[in-house]
Structure formats: structure tokens, C-alpha cells
Amino acid sequence: MNEEPTLKLTEQFDEVINLLRTVIERLDRLEAHQTEQDKHLTNLEAKVEARLYDTRPIWEQVLSRLTALDERQQRMEERQEGMDRRLRWVYDEFKDLKLRLRPVFSDVAKLLNDRDDFEERILKLETESS
């Protein structure tokens, strides 16, 4: 009977030892996997840095060209605003000219009507005299 508690304790101790060995094996595999992941990450970082080194001048050039395009667009917008002001001025001038010429057009229309009347009267006089 004395041996039974000791035997149980020994079995439990063996189970704990086996469990610890399993945990240690898993931790070793996890550490190996982590080391492999670190190598992959280091390789990826090196590739990214190399690509950045290769593409950085391209992006700097693109940024420079975009800046130049923005400046050109701003100048074009300013020119467009100037043209719009001039066109408004021309429109206003034509509108004013139209208002001032309205009486002239009216007089010209009257003159044309009078001319037609004179032509009719002259034709009538010519036909009467013949």
C-alpha cells in the first residue's frame, strides 16, 4: 500500500515530464518557424528597399511633372479668366452697339420701304406716260 501512492506520483511525474517534452518540442518547432519567417521578412525588406531605390527616381520625376502640369493648368485657368472678362466686355459692347444702332436699323427699314414706294411710283409714272 505504501508503494501505490509513490507509483501514482511517479506516473504523474512521468506524464508531466512527457507533457513538458512535448511543449519543448513544439516551442523548438515554433522557434525554427519564427527564424524562417524572420529570414523571409528580411529578404522581402531587402527586395522592397531595392525596388524603392529603383523606382524612387521615377516617382520623383512623376511628381516633378505633376507639379509642372499643375502650374500650367493654373496659368491656363488664369488666361481663361482673362479671356472670359474680355468676352464679357465684347458682349457688353455689342449689346450697347445694338441698342445704339436700333434707331438706325429702323431708319434704314423706313428708307427701304420708301425706296420701294418710290420705285412703284416711278414704274406707275413710266407706264402712264407710255
Side-chain angles (χ1 to χ4, degrees):
M1 194 116 171
N2 281 343
E3 289 184 17
E4 189 175 311
T6 305
L7 185 63
K8 278 187 173 180
L9 190 60
T10 303
E11 289 174 359
Q12 288 176 349
F13 182 74
D14 286 343
E15 284 179 30
V16 168
I17 294 293
N18 287 334
L19 186 63
L20 282 173
R21 283 185 183 139
T22 304
V23 168
I24 289 171
E25 287 174 6
R26 285 184 177 178
L27 284 174
D28 287 343
R29 284 194 305 258
L30 185 61
E31 185 178 8
H33 182 72
Q34 180 65 38
T35 302
E36 187 177 321
Q37 293 299 319
D38 286 345
K39 287 179 186 176
H40 286 300
L41 184 59
T42 302
N43 289 338
L44 282 174
E45 287 173 343
K47 285 180 183 178
V48 166
E49 187 62 34
R51 295 256 170 93
L52 281 175
Y53 181 77
D54 290 343
T55 58
R56 190 171 289 127
I58 294 169
W59 284 111
E60 288 171 354
Q61 185 181 27
V62 166
L63 182 61
S64 172
R65 292 179 79 182
L66 281 173
T67 302
L69 283 173
D70 283 343
E71 290 170 358
R72 282 181 59 195
Q73 182 180 3
Q74 187 175 11
R75 285 193 307 269
M76 288 177 69
E77 286 174 355
E78 289 169 359
R79 287 176 60 195
Q80 180 69 38
E81 288 173 7
M83 289 176 67
D84 287 348
R85 281 192 301 272
R86 287 186 218 142
L87 282 174
R88 269 187 248 115
W89 178 82
V90 168
Y91 174 78
D92 291 341
E93 287 296 312
F94 274 119
K95 191 175 173 184
D96 184 51
L97 186 61
K98 182 180 173 184
L99 289 174
R100 287 188 294 171
L101 289 176
R102 189 171 286 167
V104 173
F105 290 139
S106 177
D107 291 345
V108 168
K110 287 178 189 175
L111 286 173
L112 289 174
N113 284 337
D114 289 347
R115 186 195 70 178
D116 291 341
D117 289 343
F118 286 133
E119 284 180 358
E120 285 179 25
R121 290 168 84 187
I122 290 173
L123 281 173
K124 190 175 182 184
L125 286 172
E126 286 178 350
T127 52
E128 286 177 4
S129 64
S130 359

